[in-house]
Amino acid sequence: MKRPDLVLALVIAVGLLGSPFYNTELVRSQLIGGAPVGALGSVLVLCTGLALAWRATLRRGYVWAHPATLTWDDFDDQRPAVLTRRLVLDWAARFAVAAYFFAVSGMLIGFPSSLVGPVALFVVVAALALVLGRRRSFPGESLLPLTLALPLVIPLWTYVVAAGLAAIALLRSSPLPHTASRDTLIRHYTERMVRRTSAAFLDVWALLPAGRPVPWRNALASRFVVTRYVLTGVLARRSALGLPVFLALAVVATHATFPAVTSVWLIGIGGYLGLLPFTAPIAQLHRVPGLRRWLAASDLHLHAVTCAFLCVLALLWTAVVLLLGIPASMGALAAALIAALSAVRSVTRGPLDFSSMGMVLYEGVLIPAGLVRQLVRGPELLVLGLIAASFLPVWP
C-alpha cells in the first residue's frame, strides 16, 4: 500500500473508531436506544475483551522463524530477543483493543463508580497473559480465560489478588523464546505461510483448524459412513470447542451492553462463527476433489447429514446462551438453524474460479462481480435469513 493510501486509510479508521467519543449521543441511540442498561455493563465488556485477548495470546503465534534465518543468521544470539519483541507487540495490540472497547462501553453506558478495580483487573490479567504466553503450554490452559467470569460473582479484588499471585509464581518459568527448538520454529513458520498464502488467494476455508487423531478404531467402518465421517471430523476439531464458549460469553456481554441489538442477530452471527470450525470435514471434501470422490455418497446426502448434525449443535449452543440471560423467541431459535445452514452453504462451494471474475465498472471502480458472488455464498443466506427471522413474533 502506498503512503497516501495508508494515510487515507488511517484517517478513515481513526474517524470511525473515534465516533463514540465525539458523537456519543448518536452512537448511543443506535446501539442502546431507550433500553435500560445494567450497572455492570462496562465491566462485563472489559472481562469479555480481556478473555478474548488472553486466549489469543495463548496461541503463541510469535513462535516461528524463517528457515534461512535459522541457517545463516542464527549465530549472534538474537533469536530470543526477536521472538520476545514479537510476543510483546502482539500482546500489546490485543490488550489495546480490549482497553478500547472498555472505553467505548464506558462512554456509551457509563463507567463504574470507581475505576481502580477495573484498571487493576486489566493490569493483572494482561501481566498474567504475558507471563503465560512466554512459557510452554500446559494441558487445560485454554480454559483459564474463562475464569474472567468469576469477577461478576465474587469480589473483584479477590480475583485480582489471585491472578497477581499466579503471575508472580509463573514469572520464573523457562521462557519459550529461549527454549523453542528449530523444528518447532520451522513447523510453525510453514503453518504460517500456508495461512498467509490461503488468505492471499482468498481460500479462507483452508484456515479452518486441522483435525487431530481420534482414538476411535474403525471409525468409518460398518454402516452410516457419512454420519460417522461428520461425527469423527467434529471430534477431531475438539480443540476448537473453546471458541463457542467464548462466543456465548461475548453474545451475553453484547446484549447486556447494547440491548437495542436484537437477540436474533447476536445468536445468528455468534452461532455462524462458532460452527465454522466444525464444518472443516465437509470443507475438505469440497476443496480437494480427490477426497470428495473417496466418499461414495451423493452431495444431497452429505449436505443433509452435515446440516442436521450442525443444527443440533447450534440448538445446544443457543440453549446455553438463552440460559445465560438472552431473551428467548422464535426468531432466536430460527437464527440458530439459519446459522447452521449458512455455515454449511459457505464451505460447500467449490474452489474459487479466478477465470470467471466478471469485472463490472461501477462509479469508476472495477468490481469483480463473479468473484464476489463466490465469496458471499453462505453469508448472504445468513443476512437474508436473519432479516426474515427478525420479523417473527416473540412467542405464539
Side-chain angles (χ1 to χ4, degrees), residues 272-359:
Y272 178 80
L273 296 177
L275 290 174
L276 275 181
F278 304 106
T279 60
I282 191 173
Q284 282 183 323
L285 295 180
H286 286 77
R287 287 183 60 251
V288 184
L291 291 178
R292 180 65 189 90
R293 290 190 293 268
W294 165 80
L295 189 62
S298 65
D299 287 345
L300 179 61
H301 184 198
L302 178 62
H303 297 174
V305 171
T306 306
C307 287
F309 191 80
L310 291 184
C311 283
V312 173
L313 294 181
L315 291 176
L316 292 176
W317 180 83
T318 304
V320 173
V321 173
L322 295 179
L323 289 176
L324 293 176
I326 300 296
S329 64
M330 293 180 59
L333 297 179
L337 300 178
I338 292 170
L341 299 178
S342 301
V344 175
R345 177 174 171 80
S346 296
V347 300
T348 51
R349 62 166 172 80
L352 286 177
D353 184 6
F354 291 94
S355 64
S356 60
M357 297 182 67
M359 304 300 293

Side-chain angles (χ1 to χ4, degrees), residues 215-235:
W216 183 8
R217 295 185 60 184
N218 302 323
L220 301 180
S222 187
R223 302 171 58 189
F224 309 108
V225 176
V226 175
T227 304
R228 290 168 173 265
Y229 172 78
V230 174
L231 177 59
T232 305
V234 171
L235 294 177

Side-chain angles (χ1 to χ4, degrees), residues 36-99:
V37 180
L40 294 178
S42 58
V43 177
L44 187 60
V45 172
L46 176 63
C47 292
T48 304
L50 291 178
L52 295 175
W54 187 355
R55 183 175 184 269
T57 303
L58 292 180
R59 294 174 182 171
R60 297 173 178 82
Y62 68 94
V63 186
W64 60 268
H66 196 289
T69 301
L70 294 175
T71 302
W72 303 107
D73 299 332
D74 199 32
F75 303 102
D76 52 3
D77 296 329
Q78 294 298 313
R79 186 208 307 173
V82 172
L83 296 180
T84 302
R85 186 184 313 115
R86 199 181 293 156
L87 164 65
V88 172
L89 291 177
D90 293 346
W91 164 82
R94 288 160 181 155
F95 280 90
V97 173

